[in-house]
Amino acid sequence: MTNWHLVHDSREGRPPEVETGSSQTTVYERRNIRQETADDPMTGEPYTQWVYEQREYSRAEYAEMTSPAIQGIQQTLSALELSVAML
């Protein structure tokens, strides 16, 4: 898994939060997806782009992270954290 980094994307439609189909080796996770307008430095014309934070996983990392066993552990940990916070 890589660290989060900022991406500027010119695609027309909203990018998915998790993209598994565009690469045979990599899964992309995105957050804080928003659309922004900027001026083209060459023409001065406004254009719209998607801006978001993204990190990448290898397919093996993503499969491990989304396995039922790992999800069960994450749910148990969340329940424990909530119990501690309520003390």
Side-chain angles (χ1 to χ4, degrees), residues 67-83:
S67 74
I70 296 298
Q71 288 181 350
I73 291 169
Q74 289 173 336
Q75 287 175 347
T76 301
L77 181 58
S78 292
L80 288 171
E81 288 173 340
L82 181 59
S83 296

Side-chain angles (χ1 to χ4, degrees), residues 10 36-49:
S10 61
E36 294 183 356
T37 301
D39 291 329
D40 185 305
M42 300 293 280
T43 65
E45 295 292 319
Y47 68 96
T48 302
Q49 64 181 347

Side-chain angles (χ1 to χ4, degrees), residues 1-64:
M1 168 179 45
T2 62
N3 291 325
W4 291 104
H5 60 276
L6 191 63
V7 174
H8 297 262
D9 189 336
S10 61
R11 74 177 78 194
E12 287 188 26
R14 186 180 197 280
E17 291 182 9
V18 176
E19 186 170 331
T20 60
S22 66
S23 172
Q24 293 182 357
T25 60
T26 307
V27 174
Y28 301 94
E29 180 182 18
R30 300 176 178 114
R31 68 181 183 189
N32 300 322
I33 301 170
R34 62 195 178 279
Q35 211 169 24
E36 294 183 356
T37 301
D39 291 329
D40 185 305
M42 300 293 280
T43 65
E45 295 292 319
Y47 68 96
T48 302
Q49 64 181 347
W50 294 99
V51 179
Y52 49 85
E53 295 171 272
Q54 176 176 282
R55 65 180 171 187
E56 295 90 32
Y57 296 89
S58 70
R59 290 213 170 260
E61 286 175 321
Y62 187 73
E64 185 177 301

